[in-house]
PDB file of all heavy atoms in Angstrom:
ATOM      1  N   HIS V 729     -74.101  45.357 -94.718  1.00  0.00           N
ATOM      2  CA  HIS V 729     -73.349  44.564 -95.704  1.00  0.00           C
ATOM      3  C   HIS V 729     -73.680  44.950 -97.153  1.00  0.00           C
ATOM      4  O   HIS V 729     -72.893  44.638 -98.065  1.00  0.00           O
ATOM      5  CB  HIS V 729     -73.679  43.082 -95.492  1.00  0.00           C
ATOM      6  CG  HIS V 729     -75.114  42.711 -95.757  1.00  0.00           C
ATOM      7  ND1 HIS V 729     -76.166  43.102 -94.916  1.00  0.00           N
ATOM      8  CD2 HIS V 729     -75.685  42.031 -96.781  1.00  0.00           C
ATOM      9  CE1 HIS V 729     -77.292  42.638 -95.396  1.00  0.00           C
ATOM     10  NE2 HIS V 729     -77.029  41.992 -96.532  1.00  0.00           N
ATOM     11  N   LEU V 730     -74.786  45.657 -97.376  1.00  0.00           N
ATOM     12  CA  LEU V 730     -75.140  46.077 -98.730  1.00  0.00           C
ATOM     13  C   LEU V 730     -74.677  47.500 -99.023  1.00  0.00           C
ATOM     14  O   LEU V 730     -74.661  47.892-100.191  1.00  0.00           O
ATOM     15  CB  LEU V 730     -76.678  46.010 -98.926  1.00  0.00           C
ATOM     16  CG  LEU V 730     -77.307  44.640 -98.917  1.00  0.00           C
ATOM     17  CD1 LEU V 730     -78.823  44.759 -99.136  1.00  0.00           C
ATOM     18  CD2 LEU V 730     -76.724  43.744 -99.992  1.00  0.00           C
ATOM     19  N   PHE V 731     -74.326  48.217 -98.029  1.00  0.00           N
ATOM     20  CA  PHE V 731     -73.899  49.615 -98.228  1.00  0.00           C
ATOM     21  C   PHE V 731     -72.528  49.667 -98.858  1.00  0.00           C
ATOM     22  O   PHE V 731     -71.573  49.219 -98.301  1.00  0.00           O
ATOM     23  CB  PHE V 731     -73.955  50.373 -96.896  1.00  0.00           C
ATOM     24  CG  PHE V 731     -75.124  51.322 -96.793  1.00  0.00           C
ATOM     25  CD1 PHE V 731     -76.394  50.842 -96.860  1.00  0.00           C
ATOM     26  CD2 PHE V 731     -74.905  52.671 -96.659  1.00  0.00           C
ATOM     27  CE1 PHE V 731     -77.504  51.672 -96.772  1.00  0.00           C
ATOM     28  CE2 PHE V 731     -75.995  53.556 -96.580  1.00  0.00           C
ATOM     29  CZ  PHE V 731     -77.301  53.051 -96.608  1.00  0.00           C
ATOM     30  N   THR V 732     -72.437  50.246-100.058  1.00  0.00           N
ATOM     31  CA  THR V 732     -71.183  50.368-100.769  1.00  0.00           C
ATOM     32  C   THR V 732     -70.481  51.631-100.367  1.00  0.00           C
ATOM     33  O   THR V 732     -71.037  52.501 -99.658  1.00  0.00           O
ATOM     34  CB  THR V 732     -71.405  50.416-102.293  1.00  0.00           C
ATOM     35  OG1 THR V 732     -72.075  51.626-102.627  1.00  0.00           O
ATOM     36  CG2 THR V 732     -72.246  49.216-102.772  1.00  0.00           C
ATOM     37  N   HIS V 733     -69.254  51.812-100.823  1.00  0.00           N
ATOM     38  CA  HIS V 733     -68.510  53.062-100.600  1.00  0.00           C
ATOM     39  C   HIS V 733     -69.310  54.256-101.101  1.00  0.00           C
ATOM     40  O   HIS V 733     -69.394  55.290-100.427  1.00  0.00           O
ATOM     41  CB  HIS V 733     -67.180  52.989-101.356  1.00  0.00           C
ATOM     42  CG  HIS V 733     -66.534  54.313-101.598  1.00  0.00           C
ATOM     43  ND1 HIS V 733     -65.886  55.014-100.597  1.00  0.00           N
ATOM     44  CD2 HIS V 733     -66.438  55.069-102.724  1.00  0.00           C
ATOM     45  CE1 HIS V 733     -65.413  56.139-101.093  1.00  0.00           C
ATOM     46  NE2 HIS V 733     -65.772  56.214-102.376  1.00  0.00           N
ATOM     47  N   PHE V 734     -69.990  54.106-102.247  1.00  0.00           N
ATOM     48  CA  PHE V 734     -70.742  55.215-102.844  1.00  0.00           C
ATOM     49  C   PHE V 734     -71.926  55.589-101.927  1.00  0.00           C
ATOM     50  O   PHE V 734     -72.202  56.757-101.728  1.00  0.00           O
ATOM     51  CB  PHE V 734     -71.246  54.848-104.232  1.00  0.00           C
ATOM     52  CG  PHE V 734     -70.166  54.204-105.117  1.00  0.00           C
ATOM     53  CD1 PHE V 734     -70.235  52.882-105.437  1.00  0.00           C
ATOM     54  CD2 PHE V 734     -69.084  54.948-105.528  1.00  0.00           C
ATOM     55  CE1 PHE V 734     -69.236  52.273-106.229  1.00  0.00           C
ATOM     56  CE2 PHE V 734     -68.073  54.390-106.308  1.00  0.00           C
ATOM     57  CZ  PHE V 734     -68.156  53.062-106.652  1.00  0.00           C
ATOM     58  N   ASP V 735     -72.628  54.550-101.406  1.00  0.00           N
ATOM     59  CA  ASP V 735     -73.770  54.816-100.522  1.00  0.00           C
ATOM     60  C   ASP V 735     -73.344  55.518 -99.251  1.00  0.00           C
ATOM     61  O   ASP V 735     -74.031  56.440 -98.759  1.00  0.00           O
ATOM     62  CB  ASP V 735     -74.469  53.483-100.162  1.00  0.00           C
ATOM     63  CG  ASP V 735     -74.942  52.730-101.366  1.00  0.00           C
ATOM     64  OD1 ASP V 735     -75.620  53.367-102.243  1.00  0.00           O
ATOM     65  OD2 ASP V 735     -74.646  51.526-101.502  1.00  0.00           O
ATOM     66  N   LYS V 736     -72.172  55.150 -98.729  1.00  0.00           N
ATOM     67  CA  LYS V 736     -71.693  55.746 -97.477  1.00  0.00           C
ATOM     68  C   LYS V 736     -71.365  57.211 -97.701  1.00  0.00           C
ATOM     69  O   LYS V 736     -71.703  58.064 -96.879  1.00  0.00           O
ATOM     70  CB  LYS V 736     -70.481  54.983 -96.994  1.00  0.00           C
ATOM     71  CG  LYS V 736     -70.792  53.587 -96.411  1.00  0.00           C
ATOM     72  CD  LYS V 736     -69.559  52.778 -96.176  1.00  0.00           C
ATOM     73  CE  LYS V 736     -69.925  51.365 -95.791  1.00  0.00           C
ATOM     74  NZ  LYS V 736     -68.772  50.439 -95.796  1.00  0.00           N
ATOM     75  N   VAL V 737     -70.740  57.509 -98.869  1.00  0.00           N
ATOM     76  CA  VAL V 737     -70.382  58.908 -99.153  1.00  0.00           C
ATOM     77  C   VAL V 737     -71.631  59.741 -99.280  1.00  0.00           C
ATOM     78  O   VAL V 737     -71.751  60.862 -98.761  1.00  0.00           O
ATOM     79  CB  VAL V 737     -69.541  59.012-100.438  1.00  0.00           C
ATOM     80  CG1 VAL V 737     -69.350  60.456-100.842  1.00  0.00           C
ATOM     81  CG2 VAL V 737     -68.171  58.324-100.248  1.00  0.00           C
ATOM     82  N   VAL V 738     -72.642  59.218-100.001  1.00  0.00           N
ATOM     83  CA  VAL V 738     -73.919  59.937-100.170  1.00  0.00           C
ATOM     84  C   VAL V 738     -74.590  60.113 -98.823  1.00  0.00           C
ATOM     85  O   VAL V 738     -75.080  61.215 -98.519  1.00  0.00           O
ATOM     86  CB  VAL V 738     -74.855  59.154-101.140  1.00  0.00           C
ATOM     87  CG1 VAL V 738     -76.235  59.760-101.162  1.00  0.00           C
ATOM     88  CG2 VAL V 738     -74.255  59.170-102.552  1.00  0.00           C
ATOM     89  N   ASP V 739     -74.627  59.055 -98.021  1.00  0.00           N
ATOM     90  CA  ASP V 739     -75.310  59.144 -96.677  1.00  0.00           C
ATOM     91  C   ASP V 739     -74.657  60.205 -95.811  1.00  0.00           C
ATOM     92  O   ASP V 739     -75.371  61.019 -95.166  1.00  0.00           O
ATOM     93  CB  ASP V 739     -75.190  57.754 -96.020  1.00  0.00           C
ATOM     94  CG  ASP V 739     -75.854  57.732 -94.635  1.00  0.00           C
ATOM     95  OD1 ASP V 739     -76.921  58.370 -94.476  1.00  0.00           O
ATOM     96  OD2 ASP V 739     -75.248  57.154 -93.706  1.00  0.00           O
ATOM     97  N   GLU V 740     -73.335  60.248 -95.833  1.00  0.00           N
ATOM     98  CA  GLU V 740     -72.618  61.215 -94.965  1.00  0.00           C
ATOM     99  C   GLU V 740     -72.858  62.650 -95.351  1.00  0.00           C
ATOM    100  O   GLU V 740     -72.708  63.542 -94.552  1.00  0.00           O
ATOM    101  CB  GLU V 740     -71.115  60.894 -95.004  1.00  0.00           C
ATOM    102  CG  GLU V 740     -70.739  59.632 -94.196  1.00  0.00           C
ATOM    103  CD  GLU V 740     -69.387  59.081 -94.571  1.00  0.00           C
ATOM    104  OE1 GLU V 740     -68.652  59.769 -95.356  1.00  0.00           O
ATOM    105  OE2 GLU V 740     -69.039  57.982 -94.135  1.00  0.00           O
ATOM    106  N   SER V 741     -73.234  62.863 -96.639  1.00  0.00           N
ATOM    107  CA  SER V 741     -73.433  64.257 -97.126  1.00  0.00           C
ATOM    108  C   SER V 741     -74.881  64.715 -96.943  1.00  0.00           C
ATOM    109  O   SER V 741     -75.218  65.861 -97.283  1.00  0.00           O
ATOM    110  CB  SER V 741     -73.039  64.348 -98.573  1.00  0.00           C
ATOM    111  OG  SER V 741     -73.966  63.625 -99.382  1.00  0.00           O
ATOM    112  N   THR V 742     -75.770  63.855 -96.402  1.00  0.00           N
ATOM    113  CA  THR V 742     -77.164  64.225 -96.231  1.00  0.00           C
ATOM    114  C   THR V 742     -77.353  64.961 -94.910  1.00  0.00           C
ATOM    115  O   THR V 742     -76.494  64.970 -94.045  1.00  0.00           O
ATOM    116  CB  THR V 742     -78.072  62.998 -96.283  1.00  0.00           C
ATOM    117  OG1 THR V 742     -77.750  62.122 -95.170  1.00  0.00           O
ATOM    118  CG2 THR V 742     -77.951  62.255 -97.571  1.00  0.00           C
ATOM    119  N   ILE V 743     -78.589  65.532 -94.708  1.00  0.00           N
ATOM    120  CA  ILE V 743     -78.882  66.253 -93.464  1.00  0.00           C
ATOM    121  C   ILE V 743     -79.156  65.278 -92.322  1.00  0.00           C
ATOM    122  O   ILE V 743     -79.197  65.690 -91.182  1.00  0.00           O
ATOM    123  CB  ILE V 743     -80.053  67.206 -93.667  1.00  0.00           C
ATOM    124  CG1 ILE V 743     -81.320  66.427 -94.088  1.00  0.00           C
ATOM    125  CG2 ILE V 743     -79.732  68.309 -94.648  1.00  0.00           C
ATOM    126  CD1 ILE V 743     -82.569  67.244 -94.079  1.00  0.00           C
TER     127      ILE V 743
END
Side-chain angles (χ1 to χ4, degrees):
H729 64 288
L730 292 181
F731 254 60
T732 67
H733 160 76
F734 313 112
D735 301 311
K736 289 169 186 168
V737 172
V738 170
D739 179 41
E740 286 161 8
S741 67
T742 61
I743 59 171

